[in-house]
Amino acid sequence: MTIRGDKKDQKFYVIGISYEKADAEARGKFTFFPETVEKFVSDASLNGLDYYFVVSTCNRTECYGFATSAEELIQQFCRFTEGSVEEFRNFVTIKEGREAVEHLFRVSSGLESQILGDFDIIGQIKIWFSRFKKQGSTNAFLERLVNTAIQISKRVKNETLLSNGSASVAFSAVAFILNNYKDLANKNILLYGLGKIGRNTCANLVKHANGAQITIVNRTREKADVLGDKYEVIVKDHTELISELANTDILIVATGATNHTITEEMIPFDKEMLIIDMSVPENVAHSLATRDNIRLLNVDGLSKMVDDTIATRKAAIPDAEAIILELMQEFGEWLKTRELVPYIQSFKSRLQFIQHSEVHNMKKDNMELDENEIILASKLVQRMTNQFASYLLENREQAEDTYELMQKMFRLKEA
């Protein structure tokens, strides 16, 4: 699978950091935020980068794109994170060409998720790609790539047992609570932050944490009210957060901010509490874990507590990989066809030039031309183009030689 950028010296890369090499604290330094996209695209254009997109989740942040080297992408990416290039190199994963394509397909299928089979990632890929597409930093290759990744995700989810059972980060938080608290009747649970993970956690709490008093707090009150009405849980205004913390037994933080949203002074020193931080970068101050009466758990800790369904999921890996292989081959065929497009367009353009030139000369000589004759000539150009395209597709290994011959015969411009 040969992958070329529009600029001849560019190749396709993915550079990224994930849970495999970096803990939550390290990943947090390289979290990429939506509000950064516009500035990133503007800066990248000045540095000669045209086609790329970034995906940033709690478990991984990756940049896919065309560049002259992986180092070029790394330098560009790190300018918009809190971490340095030197730190990034300690954790970075780099893949090129076919391996980069396959990596995205494996990520989208759930095979590379921290919790095997977790499909939340595909939703994030779609959202992040859309953000970059709006800024004009994507092309036909990336569009087809992401659409194929979406197709793989759907097929793996529908045709295999890779997502069988409940084994998500949101469910793991609730499972941990249920395993450590036999009686939740007198426990106050506060959920702070209502992004996707927060909403999923709320749904799992309502379903499984029978008897507990569940309260939700969010910076945007309207979003909290909608969820409060849906699940019939208590909603408090963001200004009431401090007073609610004083009465909280179990705090779940899913705020996804760039800094700590829960700090030492917000929690009474003598308060006993379980705090589950589901945010990356971590939004709960590490120093709280030094208190004897507080137990602090983060995303990495949750991921180690997944239920027995993982064994079933592991058995489905070959089925998922077979789907990826099938669609990798389809993507490769599309890519080969795409490589021939410049040859075909050049051939057609030359034929159209000859047609228009002849029509112009005939009109110049005051020859009357029937409209049907012009239409017929256009159809002939298209038919010859189709014939040329078919020959190239059937004889791809001789495509360059064939084009060189046509170039000499029809004086084609270089594709």
Side-chain angles (χ1 to χ4, degrees):
M1 184 186 293
T2 304
I3 303 173
R4 300 178 182 138
D6 289 353
K7 297 174 182 176
K8 290 185 178 180
D9 59 341
Q10 289 188 339
K11 298 177 182 178
F12 181 62
Y13 295 96
V14 56
I15 55 103
I17 183 172
S18 75
Y19 70 92
E20 292 177 302
K21 294 183 180 180
D23 60 20
E25 184 178 3
R27 296 198 303 275
K29 292 182 180 180
F30 297 97
T31 300
F32 195 89
F33 295 96
E35 56 269 24
T36 311
V37 172
E38 188 174 352
K39 288 183 180 178
F40 182 92
V41 171
S42 178
D43 185 68
S45 296
L46 294 175
N47 290 309
L49 296 175
D50 300 314
Y51 304 117
Y52 47 81
F53 67 97
V54 176
V55 177
S56 190
T57 72
C58 63
N59 290 329
R60 67 177 65 247
T61 298
E62 298 175 333
C63 180
Y64 295 83
F66 289 92
T68 55
S69 67
E71 182 63 23
E72 188 177 26
L73 271 187
I74 290 171
Q75 294 284 345
Q76 177 64 39
F77 171 73
C78 288
R79 278 201 291 275
F80 289 82
T81 67
E82 292 183 4
S84 67
V85 171
E86 290 69 28
E87 289 177 288
F88 191 67
R89 288 199 186 103
N90 292 329
F91 307 109
V92 67
T93 294
I94 300 172
K95 294 183 184 295
E96 177 189 330
R98 179 188 175 90
E99 287 188 353
V101 169
E102 185 175 7
H103 176 74
L104 177 63
F105 292 169
R106 290 182 65 86
V107 168
S108 66
S109 71
L111 284 174
E112 300 297 328
S113 297
Q114 191 166 20
I115 297 175
L116 181 65
D118 188 348
F119 279 91
D120 284 347
I121 184 66
I122 192 61
Q124 291 297 319
I125 290 172
K126 288 192 281 189
I127 290 169
W128 278 102
F129 184 77
S130 175
R131 288 169 179 152
F132 280 85
K133 184 177 179 179
K134 286 178 182 177
Q135 298 300 322
S137 71
T138 64
N139 61 2
F141 173 87
L142 294 177
E143 186 95 33
R144 180 76 177 223
L145 180 74
V146 171
N147 285 339
T148 303
I150 293 169
Q151 188 180 355
I152 286 171
S153 177
K154 287 179 180 176
R155 285 194 54 185
V156 170
K157 192 171 185 178
N158 295 331
E159 299 174 24
T160 77
L161 295 176
L162 195 69
S163 61
N164 182 61
S166 298
S168 66
V169 172
F171 183 81
S172 296
V174 177
F176 181 78
I177 292 169
L178 296 176
N179 290 336
N180 286 269
Y181 294 87
K182 301 304 178 186
D183 183 13
L184 291 171
N186 298 312
K187 300 298 180 183
N188 295 323
I189 301 177
L190 174 61
L191 173 60
Y192 179 30
L194 299 175
K196 185 172 183 179
I197 290 178
R199 296 194 301 273
N200 289 343
T201 302
C202 185
N204 282 313
L205 281 171
V206 171
K207 184 176 181 180
H208 300 287
N210 298 323
Q213 178 171 290
I214 302 168
T215 303
I216 58 177
V217 174
N218 194 58
R219 284 191 179 277
T220 307
R221 176 65 189 247
E222 290 79 9
K223 187 183 287 188
D225 284 334
V226 170
L227 209 64
D229 291 340
K230 180 177 180 179
Y231 293 116
E232 298 181 351
V233 296
I234 300 168
V235 178
K236 293 290 184 177
D237 195 80
H238 192 263
T239 57
E240 301 175 86
L241 177 62
I242 301 296
S243 59
E244 282 301 313
L245 287 171
N247 299 313
T248 297
D249 300 302
I250 302 169
L251 170 63
I252 303 174
V253 181
T255 42
T258 58
N259 47 25
H260 292 154
T261 56
I262 299 294
T263 56
E264 274 219 68
E265 61 271 15
M266 296 171 72
I267 310 291
F269 195 79
D270 59 347
K271 180 66 182 173
E272 186 173 325
M273 189 183 295
L274 165 66
I275 304 177
I276 300 177
D277 187 0
M278 304 176 73
S279 306
V280 175
E282 293 168 303
N283 284 184
V284 177
H286 285 266
S287 52
L288 281 165
T290 62
R291 296 189 190 179
D292 294 335
N293 52 354
I294 287 182
R295 183 171 186 181
L296 177 58
L297 190 68
N298 66 8
V299 169
D300 291 346
L302 283 174
S303 298
K304 295 173 184 175
M305 301 173 185
V306 179
D307 59 25
D308 294 336
T309 59
I310 292 300
T312 303
R313 294 185 176 196
K314 284 183 178 178
I317 290 176
D319 295 331
E321 289 179 332
I323 291 172
I324 291 173
L325 179 60
E326 178 187 337
L327 291 182
M328 275 283 290
Q329 291 171 340
E330 286 185 14
F331 186 78
E333 288 300 308
W334 172 81
L335 198 57
K336 287 178 182 177
T337 301
R338 183 173 176 265
E339 289 174 357
L340 300 176
V341 169
Y343 297 162
I344 297 167
Q345 287 179 335
S346 177
F347 182 77
K348 183 177 182 179
S349 295
R350 185 59 182 171
L351 291 183
Q352 287 176 329
F353 173 79
I354 293 171
Q355 177 199 354
H356 294 153
S357 179
E358 289 303 312
V359 168
H360 174 76
N361 290 335
M362 291 173 76
K363 286 182 177 180
K364 191 176 178 181
D365 293 338
N366 296 319
M367 293 181 65
E368 290 188 11
L369 289 175
D370 187 277
E371 188 65 30
N372 289 330
E373 291 176 321
I374 295 176
I375 293 173
L376 184 62
S378 296
K379 286 184 176 181
L380 184 60
V381 166
Q382 186 59 54
R383 185 168 294 181
M384 291 177 68
T385 302
N386 292 345
Q387 195 71 29
F388 179 63
S390 296
Y391 183 84
L392 291 182
L393 288 169
E394 291 169 6
N395 301 274
R396 286 195 183 104
E397 64 281 356
Q398 286 126 25
E400 287 194 25
D401 292 338
T402 302
Y403 180 71
E404 283 181 14
L405 178 61
M406 292 297 107
Q407 213 173 15
K408 292 174 183 176
M409 289 175 62
F410 291 94
R411 298 176 185 175
L412 305 181
K413 291 182 180 180
E414 187 174 345

